[in-house]
Amino acid sequence: MSSLNKIILIGSLTTDPEQRTTNSGDAFSRFTLAVDRMTGPEGVASATDFIPVVAWRDLAQHVQSLTKGDRAMVDGRIVTRTFDDEEGKRHYVTEVEARIINALS
């Protein structure tokens, strides 16, 4: 049986994207997307989820044109990873790895 890992989100950036480069030279940008959770009657937003998003390479450059408050559609996949900090404490991260990002008006 095959599987599928795909997510499409529409929301607003909570900060300007932060661009960095890995030790191997790959550019990436991170930002958080605020997405309303429509669980109330008649589609009323009852909560907001804050979803971390990462964009790589050319898409990382493209996303730099977005700023805090801009609405965007993100098409990507959910990725999980772990890392140990300087004190040896293990951290777990879940984020969306973007494949397509479109600015919305």
Side-chain angles (χ1 to χ4, degrees):
M1 172 178 271
S2 63
S3 60
L4 176 67
N5 181 351
K6 181 177 179 89
I7 188 165
I8 298 174
L9 301 167
I10 296 176
S12 299
L13 277 73
T14 62
T15 61
D16 292 344
E18 178 184 344
Q19 186 170 10
R20 292 188 178 177
T21 305
T22 65
N23 291 339
S24 61
D26 289 326
F28 68 97
S29 292
R30 292 188 184 284
F31 61 92
T32 300
L33 198 67
V35 179
D36 290 334
R37 191 180 324 154
M38 305 300 189
T39 58
E42 299 177 16
V44 175
S46 63
T48 302
D49 294 308
F50 298 91
I51 313 293
V53 178
V54 62
W56 290 94
R57 299 171 193 83
D58 291 341
L59 190 55
Q61 300 294 329
H62 166 74
V63 79
Q64 290 303 304
S65 64
L66 298 175
T67 59
K68 178 181 178 178
D70 286 349
R71 294 196 38 83
M73 186 276 305
V74 174
D75 179 331
R77 64 185 180 142
I78 296 173
V79 295
T80 59
R81 59 187 170 85
T82 61
F83 67 93
D84 296 327
D85 65 17
E86 305 83 30
E87 299 171 359
K89 183 177 179 185
R90 176 144 300 183
H91 296 269
Y92 298 88
V93 178
T94 301
E95 60 195 0
V96 172
E97 185 177 275
R99 190 177 65 84
I100 299 169
I101 299 174
N102 289 323
L104 304 175
S105 47

